[in-house]
Amino acid sequence: MTALALTVSQARYVNKAFWRNPARAFFTFAFPLMFLVIFTSLLGNGTVHIGSIQVKLSTYYVAAMAAFAVIQACYSNIAIGISAQRDAGILKRIDGSPLPKAAFMASRILHSVGIAVLLVALTDAFGRAFYGARIPAGIPLLDFLSMLAVGSAALCALGLAVTVVIPNTDASSPVVLGTVLPLGFLSGIFIPFGNSTPSWIIWVGRIFPIRHFAAGMMAGLVGTPFDWLDVLVVAAWGAAGLLIALRYFSWEPHTG
């Protein structure tokens, strides 16, 4: 079999394992919708000014939770899942099997990106039905899909990179949450950035990819201006994550 065929075959196996775990599948898809309902119920009865555009908070949170869903599906899922498989010795066995390591990793990334796309579609459909969120079309749709594709791949690469500093399975969730939650707040995922947001928060947020990824998602789902610089920044972070993973990733369980 070719490398592509092996990747697709392995991705189908990963996908079957995912859907045959009903609790995992249910909460993966329910999690962003629960957050969306909670945030819109608590904070969604107003508007926020983003530049010269006035945006309803309810539709803002549709885009924010769509971005958060991709982060969970790609970055968190890859980091926690790969760390657990490494700790259990599965990666070590894969390393000694006929299955190419690249095909194994590509299958995990392909599955995560597929779940991310489904989550975005579900969140946007839910937001359209209950909060009047917009569905992008035409050029805005192409821009949106470009950010979604680049962002999903970059977040998967960063998920692989962060496994380098995760010592064991028990530490995976704290490390992932310790990176996602602070950056989520600094990037306007959980609390929207209006024109009165302190400049230092905006400056810090712009250093990291989540802010730029969220901005691209907002452009498609809310109608704020789309900037290709956001795509380039996210891609650069993804490339850096890939280089770190290629250099330091270990297929052996961490010791010590």
Side-chain angles (χ1 to χ4, degrees), residues 90-129:
I90 295 174
L91 296 189
K92 184 178 180 179
R93 292 197 293 272
I94 292 293
D95 190 22
S97 74
L99 178 67
K101 292 185 288 186
F104 174 81
M105 282 300 181
S107 69
R108 292 299 307 265
I109 292 171
L110 187 61
H111 167 75
S112 294
V113 171
I115 294 297
V117 171
L118 287 176
L119 281 169
V120 170
L122 177 63
T123 304
D124 193 28
F126 187 90
R128 176 66 178 173

Side-chain angles (χ1 to χ4, degrees), residues 179-191:
T179 52
V180 167
L181 292 182
L183 290 180
F185 282 104
L186 290 171
S187 303
I189 297 289
F190 304 120
I191 298 177

Side-chain angles (χ1 to χ4, degrees), residues 137-157:
I139 298 300
L141 176 60
L142 295 178
D143 294 339
F144 174 78
L145 292 177
S146 298
M147 177 56 89
L148 179 58
V150 172
S152 299
L155 287 164
C156 286

Side-chain angles (χ1 to χ4, degrees), residues 151-164:
S152 299
L155 287 164
C156 286
L158 290 169
L160 286 175
V162 81
T163 62
V164 172

